[in-house]
Amino acid sequence: MTQKDDFKLQDFLPYLLNQAAEESGLAFQQIYKDRYGMLRTEWRVLFHLGMYGRMSAKDIGERSKMHKTKISRAVAKLEARRMLTRERDAADRRLEYLTLTQAGKAAYIDLRGVAKAYDTGLAGQFSQEDIDKLRLMLRHLAGMK
Amino acid sequence: MTQKDDFKLQDFLPYLLNQAAEESGLAFQQIYKDRYGMLRTEWRVLFHLGMYGRMSAKDIGERSKMHKTKISRAVAKLEARRMLTRERDAADRRLEYLTLTQAGKAAYIDLRGVAKAYDTGLAGQFSQEDIDKLRLMLRHLAGMK
DNA sequence: AGTTAACGGTTGATTTTGTAACTAACAAGG
DNA sequence: CCTTGTTAGTTACAAAATCAACCGTTAACT
């Protein structure tokens, strides 16, 4: 091109990370979509509630860095599908605590199992040492220090 | 939760990759958006044409794994902004070859410089050895063998 | 040639996201 | 109390992504 063109898009970290994220998540996405008709935002909310138990939308937002509108909509859908219930805080009536229903817990446990196996499969392509380092670096890049 | 819950969402590779991709790309995204009003699909098309020179939408699709409708629309926008021109193949009149205009090249060169500096900044957080390994693993996960 | 299938690319309808503005509730200072 | 500001969450509207159907063209088979 116009000057010596030693730029390689395939090495550009944001691009590479995106491609890896997309490709590596595809098959898992297919599962929660097919099995429960969920969106990514929805399974993320589900996972947060499954892992940490009862919490507010705000708490989820802080941990996941998802925008509050996404969470609001995901919660609405999960509620419509009877996967969670809301409960207003008596002391501060702006707050709503979210809890998984039995159906929600069942979905969480199911998907958690899938995720674990899936992750094991991905990680299995590398040595334990390498995968540990990868996770460490990714956490660093993600700002999850 | 219901059983021993040793699942950590923060270690789940597709999730972690997504967070890292999102976070690491944010500031760069801001630049091509502010400076040229571009979308991610648009700068990707721009970069492909800048790096490889004249090519068809289909070629871009194969290399970038973007869906053809995204590419079609990105090309239309770049054309409207006079960043590229189309040229029909005389032999196979379904094909269109895309070429950057001067303005397109200038934008590419500008953004390529930004990307390089940006990437250097990201990579600088790690040792050369680690960053090489990271890229290798990401390429592997992305299926870009 | 004539039919059918496949391909490159575009378009339109629907879904999902992003951005702002909005409620309703609380908090702090006067 | 009463303003002003902030917070948790929702909603409305615009921007963008997805999906399927589409057009014109080429290829393949008969």
Side-chain angles (χ1 to χ4, degrees), chain B residues 8 33 41 43 48 70 75-76 86 93 103 112 145:
Chain B
K8 295 265 168 278
K33 193 180 147 196
T41 45
W43 85 254
H48 279 270
K70 269 198 207 176
V75 166
R86 309 175 192 238
R93 306 187 350 87
R112 179 185 65 187
K145 298 297 280 308

Side-chain angles (χ1 to χ4, degrees), chain B residues 8-111:
Chain B
K8 295 265 168 278
L9 185 57
Q10 307 87 315
D11 287 345
F12 185 45
L13 279 169
Y15 181 78
L16 198 46
L17 285 162
N18 239 304
Q19 299 284 115
E22 211 160 294
E23 180 64 29
S24 76
L26 219 64
F28 180 65
Q29 176 169 54
Q30 209 51 49
I31 290 172
Y32 61 71
K33 193 180 147 196
D34 288 354
R35 215 177 275 188
Y36 298 98
M38 280 187 198
L39 253 32
R40 205 163 63 194
T41 45
E42 288 157 43
W43 85 254
R44 281 194 185 179
V45 167
L46 186 88
F47 267 56
H48 279 270
L49 291 173
M51 283 198 305
Y52 302 113
R54 200 175 94 127
M55 61 198 298
S56 72
K58 164 153 205 260
D59 298 332
I60 297 177
E62 271 160 18
R63 293 208 208 234
S64 68
K65 286 178 184 166
M66 282 194 283
H67 193 68
K68 58 183 186 168
T69 63
K70 269 198 207 176
I71 297 172
S72 172
R73 284 171 168 131
V75 166
K77 272 197 192 151
L78 289 171
E79 190 190 24
R81 281 179 207 138
R82 309 275 187 277
M83 297 248 172
L84 59 78
T85 54
R86 309 175 192 238
E87 189 188 345
R88 236 178 232 294
D89 184 342
D92 183 345
R93 306 187 350 87
R94 290 171 302 185
L95 276 167
E96 261 182 346
Y97 293 109
L98 308 169
T99 321
L100 292 186
T101 60
Q102 273 316 115
K105 277 181 204 167
Y108 166 64
I109 290 170
D110 177 35
L111 287 176

Side-chain angles (χ1 to χ4, degrees), chain A residues 87-97:
Chain A
E87 189 188 344
R88 242 182 223 293
D89 184 343
D92 183 346
R93 302 181 0 82
R94 290 170 302 184
L95 277 166
E96 262 182 347
Y97 292 108

